[in-house]
């Protein structure tokens, strides 16, 4: 199991990248558990999240300064290559000396680099499940990443639905495993 935050981030990106490589040509328009997104939209979202890291973290720019430079289709004709470039840039940005201690100007306010990284790990883990479900791939997530994501989501799980980006949390059946609990907190039925 990855031990450091950077190892967790690398593991989450690898996992998502594995699923991106499994998308068949005919599956890019397939529906996902994220009801407003198809597979391409979902991969574009996660790719975009990684592309935001260098300008915000490395360059110290604000969301307003980046503006709509990362809006629209970021995948182009080769979604796998677009993902690989975005993931490599994100990994390099967080691995830079002092990056995890920097303050990042996010849309909801100043955030420590380590907290930003944790948020993106969780986003990537949950969306890996979404992508796997959409393409019929193995949707079992690694225990270490699931536990990490649960710890990240737990403090604000009750307010996720109010953000408009998540469905309402679901009731968790007694004795549910960690992955089922994580999915339920994020409005997904495993």
């Amino acid at each position: 199991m990855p031990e450091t935050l950077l190892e967790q981030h690398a593991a989450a990106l690898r996992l998502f990248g594995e699923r991106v490589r499994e998308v068949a040509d005919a599956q890019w328009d397939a529906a996902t558990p994220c009801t407003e997104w198809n597979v391409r939209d979902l991969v574009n979202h996660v790719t975009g999240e990684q592309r935001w890291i260098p300008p915000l973290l490395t360059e110290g720019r604000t969301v307003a300064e980046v503006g709509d430079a990362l809006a629209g289709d970021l995948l182009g004709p080769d979604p796998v290559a677009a993902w690989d470039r975005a993931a490599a840039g994100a990994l390099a940005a967080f691995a830079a000396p002092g990056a995890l201690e920097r303050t990042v100007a996010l849309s909801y306010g100043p955030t420590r680099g380590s907290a930003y990284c944790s948020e993106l790990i969780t986003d990537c883990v949950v969306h890996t499940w979404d992508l796997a479900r959409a393409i019929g791939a193995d949707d079992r997530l690694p225990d270490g990443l699931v536990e990490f994501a649960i710890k990240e989501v737990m403090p604000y799980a009750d307010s996720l639905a109010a953000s408009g980006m998540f469905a309402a949390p679901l009731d968790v059946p007694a004795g549910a495993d960690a992955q089922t609990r994580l999915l339920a907190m994020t409005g997904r039925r495993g």
Side-chain angles (χ1 to χ4, degrees):
M1 180 175 108
E3 295 180 13
T4 70
L5 188 61
L6 293 177
E7 289 171 336
Q8 294 278 10
H9 183 239
L13 293 180
R14 265 192 316 276
L15 184 65
F16 190 79
E18 289 167 6
R19 294 303 168 271
V20 170
R21 284 173 175 68
E22 292 179 46
V23 178
D25 289 342
Q27 292 179 310
W28 288 101
D29 290 325
T32 71
C34 302
T35 57
E36 295 181 12
W37 289 339
N38 63 24
V39 167
R40 187 175 178 90
D41 297 332
L42 175 66
V43 173
N44 192 66
H45 163 74
V46 181
T47 299
E49 291 294 316
Q50 304 314 309
R51 296 252 330 253
W52 275 95
I53 297 166
L56 296 179
L57 184 66
T58 306
E59 299 167 20
R61 295 167 66 191
T62 65
V63 171
E65 289 169 340
V66 175
D68 63 359
L70 297 173
D73 178 28
L74 301 173
L75 301 180
D78 189 346
V80 173
W83 165 256
D84 287 344
R85 284 189 302 275
L91 287 168
F94 277 123
L100 296 177
E101 289 77 37
R102 286 187 199 128
T103 298
V104 183
L106 299 179
S107 60
Y108 54 83
T111 304
R112 188 174 172 96
S114 58
Y116 181 39
C117 186
S118 295
E119 177 184 316
L120 291 173
I121 291 167
T122 301
D123 186 64
C124 200
V125 169
V126 172
H127 285 317
T128 296
W129 182 85
D130 294 329
L131 182 55
R133 273 294 169 104
I135 64 171
D138 180 7
D139 66 4
R140 190 75 204 146
L141 301 168
D143 292 342
L145 288 173
V146 169
E147 290 296 338
F148 179 93
I150 286 174
K151 288 177 188 165
E152 175 67 17
V153 171
M154 190 73 70
Y156 53 86
D158 291 340
S159 62
L160 287 177
S163 73
M165 296 185 292
F166 293 86
L170 305 173
D171 291 331
V172 180
D177 66 9
Q179 180 168 316
T180 302
R181 291 192 323 270
L182 173 64
L183 296 173
M185 282 191 279
T186 59
R188 291 156 170 86
R189 190 172 314 282

